[in-house]
Amino acid sequence: MPRADFYLIARPRFAEQPLLLVCELARRACDANQWTVILARDQAQAEELDDLLWAFDPDAYIPHQIAGDEEDELTPVLIVPPELETPQRPLVINLRDGAYTAPCERVLEVVPADPAARGPLRQRWREYQGLGYELHKHDM
């Protein structure tokens, strides 16, 4: 059964810069040898994530790149802007507006710190529930 994990931003560090939480999740995936795709909202977000992943942890290299060349299948963390086809990976970090419904083992959703912005994520929770996903919530 696929699983969807919702990460609710609570810590000031992540509230100020939500993409740092994405970096943390990507590092955890790398540490667990889980090949990951990050679905960026747009090209600008993909580039920002690329930069953040380079600088995220001075003691740990997170092998990553923006999708689009022959190295894609060799890279453990692949950042995919919407205009590119998304390769299948066991773990998906979804930063886009809709639920991710292609086959995978696990989807991670980042929930904004602002309670007023959480409505779409509540709807997405129900979508995953309707699709038979095992659901989990984590406060970060």
Side-chain angles (χ1 to χ4, degrees):
M1 168 188 311
R3 172 178 166 157
D5 291 86
F6 286 74
Y7 289 85
L8 283 70
I9 293 177
R11 294 184 193 147
R13 171 181 179 221
F14 296 140
E16 290 164 14
Q17 196 170 14
L19 292 181
L20 288 179
L21 176 56
V22 177
C23 293
E24 176 66 31
L25 297 173
R27 181 178 61 192
R28 289 180 184 185
C30 270
D31 290 348
N33 292 317
Q34 286 190 302
W35 286 63
T36 305
V37 65
I38 301 173
L39 301 178
R41 258 197 179 87
D42 53 35
Q43 184 66 35
Q45 186 182 57
E47 291 170 10
E48 184 179 356
L49 265 169
D50 183 45
D51 291 342
L52 283 172
L53 282 166
W54 279 113
F56 179 66
D57 186 342
D59 298 324
Y61 170 65
I62 302 167
H64 71 281
Q65 72 175 32
I66 296 175
D69 69 28
E70 66 280 347
E71 298 291 314
D72 287 0
E73 63 189 44
L74 304 174
T75 305
V77 176
L78 200 56
I79 305 165
V80 182
E83 61 274 5
L84 295 178
E85 187 176 322
T86 303
Q88 286 191 344
R89 296 272 175 103
L91 182 64
V92 176
I93 300 173
N94 185 21
L95 303 177
R96 297 188 187 160
D97 291 332
Y100 181 78
T101 57
C104 69
E105 293 172 15
R106 197 167 162 213
V107 178
L108 310 183
E109 297 277 354
V110 175
V111 181
D114 178 6
R118 291 183 173 179
L121 276 298
R122 287 187 188 96
Q123 175 59 35
R124 205 168 305 168
W125 177 282
R126 289 189 289 275
E127 284 181 58
Y128 287 123
Q129 195 171 38
L131 293 168
Y133 281 63
E134 179 184 327
L135 300 172
H136 297 270
K137 178 178 79 78
H138 312 274
D139 291 319
M140 297 296 285

